[in-house]
Amino acid sequence: MSAFVLQKVIRDNLEDGFESRKRNTSAFTFLAWSSFALALLGMFIGIINLDQILSVKGYYAVTALFLTMSSFVLQKTVRDNNDDEALNPALHGHSASHSNELKVEE
């Protein structure tokens, strides 16, 4: 969960640039980074203290890193697809009557 929130904060802050008001406050950005770091640290402390052989600990560590990386990729993909659909609903099988765009009558 913290990986999803952290990726959202980073992307929102980068998209907004420095000219406009940022979507996330400094406190929320700090919360996202600190919760991600604490979750990752706690997970690896648990793996290190696990009473198993080194190969089992290594397996858990690699799968934990893979899960973390894949959560960033999944969140980015879902958000990009949602943004693309909002920009061009016709490409995604939605009719004009279901789009959020304003219609201008001539």
Side-chain angles (χ1 to χ4, degrees), residues 20-87:
S20 63
R21 184 178 154 273
K22 291 194 175 208
R23 294 183 197 180
N24 301 303
T25 64
S26 298
F28 187 75
T29 302
F30 174 77
L31 176 70
W33 276 104
S34 60
S35 65
F36 177 74
L38 286 173
L40 204 60
L41 180 67
M43 181 176 50
F44 281 107
I45 288 172
I47 290 173
I48 289 170
N49 291 324
L50 186 65
D51 192 24
Q52 292 291 327
I53 59 175
L54 187 59
S55 62
V56 172
K57 290 181 181 183
Y59 172 77
Y60 286 142
V62 168
T63 55
L65 288 174
F66 180 67
L67 179 63
T68 302
M69 185 270 313
S70 64
S71 66
F72 280 102
V73 172
L74 176 64
Q75 197 275 342
K76 180 192 178 309
T77 303
V78 169
R79 185 168 176 181
D80 286 348
N81 289 344
N82 190 29
D83 289 348
D84 291 346
E85 187 174 328
L87 291 175

Side-chain angles (χ1 to χ4, degrees), residues 89-105:
L91 287 177
H92 299 279
H94 298 293
S95 66
S97 63
H98 291 103
S99 75
N100 293 331
E101 298 176 11
L102 294 174
K103 295 179 184 175
V104 178
E105 294 184 20

